[in-house]
Amino acid sequence: MTWAPFALTVTVVLSAGVATPAEARQRDADPRKVIVDADPGIDDAMAILFALRSPALEVLGITTVFGNAHIDMGTANALRLVELAGRDVPVARGAAHPLILPLAPPPEFVHGTDGLGNIAQSEPTRQPIEASAAEFIVSTARRYPGEVTLLAIGRLTNLALALALEPRLPALVREVVLMGGSASAGGNVTPVAEANIWGDPHAADIVLGASWKVTMVGLDVTTSVRLGDDRLERMAARDPRVGGFVYRITRFYKQFHDSMGVTGGFYVHDPSAVAYLIDPGIFSTDKARVRVVTEGIAMGQTIADSATRAQRWDAFKGRPEVTVCRDVDGDRLLRLFETTLTP
Ligand code: RIB
Ligand code: CA
């Protein structure tokens, strides 16, 4: 096993982003400022709509990254989603490929050739902003020091690039909540690797090693929740525009899950990370230091070293503690998704 050759020096600036108790109370009462970094993607689309419709969240922008679709397709999908939600939220195009590895073909067998289940959509009427995803993340974090949460539901390339652009970023953002990885549930791309981490393991190792507060919503929880058609049909009936759209894009995704022998519905990976932001009490968590294998047959594996281990292995020394979601109340999560998306 070898570690990422791409080393970043992260300087923690204590003065920036540290709120007084009064500021922190006010901040916690307001909708939480969020940038959604995504690779839309069917479950990304569900997550973006979920976040845009939640009164608990203020989505400041959507940044896109390669993954479920090539970057231009994923960016067009983000623009379509903003339009569908009727919201004036900026979309910034991000990384087209991993930091070091060559680009792998998108998983069209999961998300369709258009990334949204092949439902023949019209061209978006909007354009992405000029700034890149990493530039947008940095400028927004500087604008609202200590307030912005990065919700990362794709490869972590944009976050790693933003860290390289602004080494003080960990002190400027409130926290990072990511869908990705697996502490003990195995993988979904390889026996040990989850897709978002496998797609850019070098970026993931940087992000999980930076000195910010990170929560990992991984396969440990996302594969124990299944969204079924009864709920989706109800949502489509209640709101034919948004609920109906979610129903239509998920037909392809459901077929994929059926073909994999997943019963009772399909996994809602990315919406689970949104649910964590809105109501973290749905999850139980523990702490671990996490490293990512960057090459070989275990590439993309997240190795979580429990906080209770007395002896620290050298590879984990100096790594920050990450909050790892371990269990989830699935009914509560699905209820929150349904009532927020189609109130
Ligand atoms: O492993 C699940 C993750 O990979 C989700 O973010 C999904 O959208 C895919 O990118
Ligand atoms: Ca995703």
Side-chain angles (χ1 to χ4, degrees):
M1 182 188 311
T2 60
W3 305 116
F6 188 97
L8 282 176
T9 310
V10 175
T11 314
V12 180
V13 178
L14 288 172
S15 57
V18 177
T20 65
E23 283 169 345
R25 271 196 305 280
Q26 181 58 45
R27 185 193 69 181
D28 293 343
D30 291 338
R32 182 190 278 248
K33 292 182 171 50
V34 178
I35 296 175
V36 184
D37 187 71
D39 58 333
I42 293 169
D43 61 326
D44 299 79
M46 290 191 283
I48 288 169
L49 293 170
F50 187 13
L52 286 172
R53 288 215 149 177
S54 170
L57 305 179
E58 180 189 356
V59 179
L60 300 174
I62 298 170
T63 52
T64 60
V65 64
F66 72 92
N68 292 328
H70 286 296
I71 190 63
D72 289 337
M73 182 76 78
T75 305
N77 287 342
L79 292 164
R80 289 183 175 106
L81 292 163
V82 165
E83 204 172 315
L84 175 74
R87 296 288 299 278
D88 198 15
V89 169
V91 172
R93 184 183 187 277
H97 54 78
L99 293 181
I100 292 171
L101 296 176
L103 178 65
E108 292 180 345
F109 54 95
V110 183
H111 297 271
T113 50
D114 66 353
L116 288 182
N118 297 340
I119 62 162
Q121 306 199 63
S122 50
E123 282 305 305
T125 56
R126 303 167 190 220
Q127 295 293 320
I129 59 173
E130 281 291 308
S132 71
E135 288 166 347
F136 179 79
I137 289 170
V138 168
S139 63
T140 309
R142 284 180 183 148
R143 185 169 169 199
Y144 302 108
E147 291 190 59
V148 178
T149 296
L150 303 178
L151 177 71
I153 54 176
R155 280 62 172 152
L156 294 167
T157 320
N158 289 335
L159 271 61
L161 292 171
L163 281 167
L165 208 57
E166 172 52 283
R168 295 180 310 140
L169 193 62
L172 290 170
V173 304
R174 179 169 170 181
E175 66 177 303
V176 176
V177 173
L178 64 92
M179 189 282 130
S182 165
S184 53
N188 60 357
V189 174
T190 77
V192 294
E194 183 280 328
N196 287 339
I197 306 297
W198 174 87
D200 193 346
H202 299 91
D205 198 46
I206 290 167
V207 170
L208 288 160
S211 57
W212 44 20
K213 183 176 173 210
V214 179
T215 299
M216 191 172 111
V217 184
L219 299 180
D220 307 283
V221 285
T222 65
T223 54
S224 51
V225 182
R226 285 147 207 215
L227 175 57
D229 274 354
D230 47 347
R231 195 179 294 270
L232 283 162
E233 282 160 14
R234 209 159 54 220
M235 292 169 69
R238 203 177 298 133
D239 180 346
R241 191 171 148 75
V242 172
F245 173 84
V246 170
Y247 182 83
R248 289 199 309 282
I249 62 170
T250 53
R251 298 309 84 203
F252 193 93
Y253 197 59
K254 179 177 183 303
Q255 269 173 29
F256 164 72
H257 283 78
D258 288 348
S259 74
M260 297 298 291
V262 178
T263 55
F266 52 79
Y267 300 142
V268 281
H269 300 292
D270 292 343
S272 302
V274 180
Y276 179 85
L277 269 190
I278 300 171
D279 184 1
I282 291 175
F283 298 84
S284 60
T285 62
D286 64 14
K287 300 276 187 191
R289 293 174 168 82
V290 182
R291 294 233 48 173
V292 179
V293 183
T294 55
E295 62 179 29
I297 61 166
M299 188 183 81
Q301 181 177 16
T302 42
I303 304 179
D305 188 21
S306 136
T308 53
R309 197 184 305 279
Q311 194 86 26
R312 283 266 95 79
W313 182 25
D314 276 357
F316 290 84
K317 286 209 172 107
R319 299 281 290 192
E321 276 189 349
V322 169
T323 300
V324 178
C325 290
R326 287 295 198 162
D327 209 351
V328 55
D329 182 338
D331 289 338
R332 211 167 130 192
L333 188 155
L334 292 170
R335 266 201 315 275
L336 179 67
F337 176 74
E338 177 180 353
T339 55
T340 305
L341 205 71
T342 53

